[in-house]
Amino acid sequence: MSDPVYIVGIDLGTTNTVVAYTSVAVSADRRPDIAFFDIPQTVAPGEVARQRLLPSFLMAPGPHDTPPGALTLPWGDDGPFTVGEFAKQRGAELPHRLISSSKSWLCSPLVDRDKPILPWNAPEGCPRLSPVAASARILGHVRSAWNHRMAVGADGQDTRRLLENQEIYLTVPASFDAVARELTVRAAREAGLSGVTLLEEPTAAFYAWIHDSGDAWREAVQEGDRVLVCDIGGGTSDFSMISVGAADGRLTLERVAVGSHLLVGGDNMDLALAHFLARKLSQSGTRIDTARMQSLWQNSRRAKEILLSGTQGDAVPITLLGRGGSLIGGSIRTELQRGDAEQVVVEGFFPACDRNAAPAAPAPSGLRELGLSYEADPAVTRHLAAFVRRMDRPGATQARPTAVLFNGGVMKAPVLQQRILSVLDAWAGDNAGAKVRALSGADCDLAVAKGAAYYGMALRGKGLRIRSGLSRSYYLAVAAAMPAVPGLPAPVKALCVAPFGMEEGTVTQMPAQTFILAVGEAATFELMGSLERPEDKAGEVVEDWADTLSPVALLETTLPGRPGAAVPVTIEVRLTEVGTLEVWCVAIEDGRRWKLEFNVREQER
């Protein structure tokens, strides 16, 4: 690959996909200019327009849904699925042909994410894609659109500017597990984008706020502040906490906590509104069947976005097309009022609650329908209470945020921001002091992509880095090379592979030490952790570790190679930006590499 021309941030969102970029050639003393790539997409049959947001929707039109060739893009046919604005709008009328929330399916362990299961519950004969393939189609559209617009020079294609040759940072929810992150990387690879770097969405949003604030960010926060990044999008709710400290007379930033994976977001709210409207229609004698319920769900999404923005009207009309030969005559019409939308969303998903409130546990059921594993309790505020309490320390003042940075499409609604702030203030009680404040200036739709591009510049020394070092040390168990003794278990030593404070994005090599790796047969690799050994260094072998190390993960795998072979290797360790500990075993003889991967994010919470 040639040297990149641009640093590109891609927010592959549940609802929208956004692309931001900046030139690599920016001097270190100048704040980088970050631009957005307006993505060409079909907005109506035969009409292509550039839009900042690419709706993360795919639709496979039927033979009579659009005229032949009406969905052809400037770079050629996109296959049976169209991506973007037209897919979103037309798909609301044809929900059995619409793929939405494919990102949420990436983190669902209940289904085979490589099988063509979307659209979920689509009738026989409808084209389907796997969650991975659907995500790859969206990224593939971005790649084709970029290369069509950005990589065409006077003499034809400029390969230096092809998207696949740029430095790409792709964002994921902070709470994505190792499997979902790996599937995201695979989707990017299937789209022709290899070598992407993952970055957590809430952290990216904070980077965008730093960029937009310029030097003024140091006036907006102070030492001792704890900034809650409240990121609620179409499919997930993500919480992260960033602590503001000081060193050498300058403010520092450290990401100190990440919330659990919460599959509750705009999709849940849209469905709640759809059920509200269905009940309203049933009271007037109109019953909504399953197919029309899907359409009502998609239409409720659009109505919610309009009403909760607080800028347009007090009601949004909704029309459900008829079926069969009565598409017009059999239509159903209703409307969603602003007051009803606020009541359903605010009180249903952001109720006032005590700081000690806990999310409701799922109701016991011996049998339930296969689908996305939505949270049993839709109350975001109760999940937030559980997140904040996890940071309490015995004998210390109860932890609470002092400021909030809102992000995600759901949090564009002023009424929801105010509810979050009022709930946080209520938790402080008589010890409130200053009220929790909202950090202003963030664009909830665009911040993540912009922040990802800024992060790329920060890695090059042209921006501020948020520290997110490990809160404990991690070790791999190593069988000792000692004679067997009857009646005594084989001794096990502990190799420190990731020391306390190791920052994400860091690579550590241990070339001076040689170990023997078993390949070609089943083997077990044990990862251990310790809060009590902060002084151990990477590569240090600990022999007497009784009671100071505890188990973290046990990986059972068969590494490729000749069965029974013992390969001399050195160790290389990388802690990724999303909390994956990659231990690479590198063969001394020929440089072959084997990767052991552990998710340490759960331990760091």
Side-chain angles (χ1 to χ4, degrees):
M1 184 181 80
S2 59
D3 291 336
V5 178
Y6 299 108
I7 295 171
V8 181
I10 301 179
D11 173 15
L12 177 62
T14 305
T15 305
N16 293 298
T17 295
V18 184
V19 180
Y21 65 99
T22 185
S23 173
V24 169
V26 176
S27 61
D29 59 351
R30 177 169 167 255
R31 188 174 71 135
D33 293 323
I34 299 177
F36 290 98
F37 175 62
D38 294 334
I39 305 171
Q41 57 196 279
T42 302
V43 297
E47 182 181 350
V48 175
R50 299 174 184 175
Q51 295 189 171
R52 191 142 295 179
L53 305 181
L54 175 72
S56 302
F57 294 78
L58 302 94
M59 190 194 70
H64 306 297
D65 291 330
T66 56
L71 303 181
T72 301
L73 293 159
W75 51 86
D77 191 2
D78 221 12
F81 286 89
T82 183
V83 180
E85 186 64 35
F86 178 69
K88 174 183 176 181
Q89 299 299 336
R90 182 63 173 142
E93 301 166 350
L94 302 169
H96 61 287
R97 291 186 169 273
L98 178 69
I99 296 178
S100 61
S101 304
S102 57
K103 178 179 177 179
S104 296
W105 287 96
L106 283 179
C107 59
S108 176
L110 300 178
V111 299
D112 186 338
R113 287 157 279 188
D114 285 312
K115 284 193 174 179
I117 58 174
L118 303 177
W120 188 251
N121 289 331
E124 197 69 33
C126 284
R128 297 191 187 205
L129 293 173
S130 71
V132 173
S135 299
R137 287 291 183 105
I138 296 169
L139 291 172
H141 181 101
V142 168
R143 178 191 174 209
S144 296
W146 173 285
N147 290 346
H148 175 75
R149 282 194 55 207
M150 302 287 287
V152 176
D155 300 325
Q157 192 177 72
D158 183 353
T159 57
R160 295 182 309 115
R161 297 176 183 271
L162 292 172
L163 183 58
E164 53 266 37
N165 291 335
Q166 309 314 310
E167 190 174 305
I168 300 175
Y169 296 88
L170 180 61
T171 62
V172 293
S175 50
F176 254 22
D177 63 17
V179 175
R181 292 196 297 271
E182 180 60 33
L183 293 174
T184 302
V185 171
R186 182 138 58 82
R189 195 160 51 241
E190 289 183 11
L193 305 176
S194 58
V196 301
T197 298
L198 299 184
L199 176 67
E200 295 173 357
E201 290 165 5
T203 303
F206 200 88
Y207 276 124
W209 177 76
I210 292 172
H211 174 270
D212 290 345
S213 300
D215 291 336
W217 77 267
R218 294 180 175 85
E219 306 300 323
V221 296
Q222 59 189 0
E223 183 180 0
D225 268 337
R226 292 178 299 277
V227 181
L228 166 70
V229 183
C230 181
D231 184 355
I232 305 179
T236 58
S237 292
D238 249 358
F239 305 131
S240 288
M241 192 73 77
I242 294 177
S243 175
V244 183
D248 300 324
R250 304 187 61 166
L251 291 180
T252 60
L253 300 170
E254 182 177 6
R255 202 273 332 279
V256 294
V258 172
S260 302
H261 185 73
L262 301 174
L263 199 59
V264 57
D267 288 347
N268 306 68
M269 299 168 199
D270 303 334
L271 183 57
L273 291 170
H275 279 287
F276 169 82
L277 291 172
R279 288 194 299 270
K280 177 181 173 182
L281 287 166
S282 69
Q283 292 169 1
S284 61
T286 302
R287 181 180 174 275
I288 302 297
D289 60 19
T290 301
R292 277 177 164 165
M293 190 64 189
Q294 290 290 320
S295 182
L296 187 58
W297 186 358
Q298 300 301 329
N299 277 279
S300 296
R301 182 197 312 272
R302 177 181 60 87
K304 177 203 69 182
E305 292 169 354
I306 293 172
L307 293 172
L308 295 189
S309 69
T311 59
Q312 301 181 45
D314 292 321
V316 173
I318 291 175
T319 300
L320 306 180
L321 294 181
R323 304 176 67 183
S326 303
L327 287 178
I328 304 301
S331 296
I332 298 173
R333 292 177 175 82
T334 186
E335 66 176 16
L336 180 62
Q337 300 280 342
R338 181 192 304 281
D340 292 333
E342 291 183 354
Q343 177 69 21
V344 170
V345 174
V346 176
E347 299 306 328
F349 292 86
F350 299 87
C353 67
D354 186 83
R355 188 183 187 276
N356 294 317
S365 177
L367 193 66
R368 62 189 179 95
E369 187 177 34
L370 181 63
L372 286 175
S373 301
Y374 292 111
E375 297 301 317
D377 191 339
V380 173
T381 42
R382 287 195 282 269
H383 291 288
L384 178 57
F387 169 70
V388 171
R389 283 199 310 277
R390 283 212 306 269
M391 289 176 289
D392 289 347
R393 296 294 180 266
T397 303
Q398 288 183 336
R400 78 178 182 102
T402 56
V404 182
L405 179 67
F406 293 108
N407 190 61
V410 169
M411 296 314 303
K412 289 190 296 183
V415 66
L416 300 184
Q417 293 189 13
Q418 287 304 315
R419 172 54 65 91
I420 291 286
L421 292 172
S422 66
V423 167
L424 291 173
D425 283 333
W427 290 348
D430 295 335
N431 301 318
K435 288 184 175 293
V436 179
R437 63 195 188 278
L439 299 183
S440 61
D443 187 313
C444 291
D445 282 328
L446 306 177
V448 168
K450 177 186 285 187
Y454 177 92
Y455 174 72
M457 297 303 298
L459 290 182
R460 291 171 171 260
K462 301 175 184 178
L464 180 73
R465 289 268 327 253
I466 299 172
R467 293 174 51 216
S468 52
L470 293 177
S471 62
R472 66 195 70 202
S473 302
Y474 290 93
Y475 306 78
L476 269 183
V478 178
M482 296 177 62
V485 177
L488 291 177
V492 174
K493 300 180 181 181
L495 169 69
C496 182
V497 291
F500 171 83
M502 182 177 181
E503 293 200 10
E504 293 173 351
T506 301
V507 177
T508 300
Q509 295 177 323
M510 308 170 200
Q513 295 164 286
T514 300
F515 301 91
I516 299 299
L517 180 70
V519 300
E521 59 187 15
T524 299
F525 299 88
E526 182 178 8
L527 184 72
M528 298 176 287
S530 176
L531 293 169
E532 303 175 38
R533 307 183 64 96
E535 304 303 322
D536 290 344
K537 306 299 182 185
E540 188 168 341
V541 177
V542 181
E543 298 189 20
D544 184 13
W545 49 267
D547 301 324
T548 62
L549 272 62
S550 57
V552 171
L554 197 65
L555 176 63
E556 298 181 2
T557 186
T558 301
L559 299 177
R562 181 171 55 82
V567 183
V569 297
T570 58
I571 302 295
E572 178 182 304
V573 179
R574 179 172 184 257
L575 180 62
T576 73
E577 288 76 7
V578 289
T580 300
L581 187 64
E582 297 178 352
V583 179
W584 291 88
C585 302
V586 184
I588 293 175
E589 181 180 356
D590 54 16
R592 284 180 297 162
R593 296 166 66 86
W594 295 267
K595 181 173 70 170
L596 308 174
E597 188 173 74
F598 304 92
N599 177 22
V600 296
R601 173 65 71 235
E602 294 292 335
Q603 302 298 314
E604 294 298 304
R605 290 174 182 164

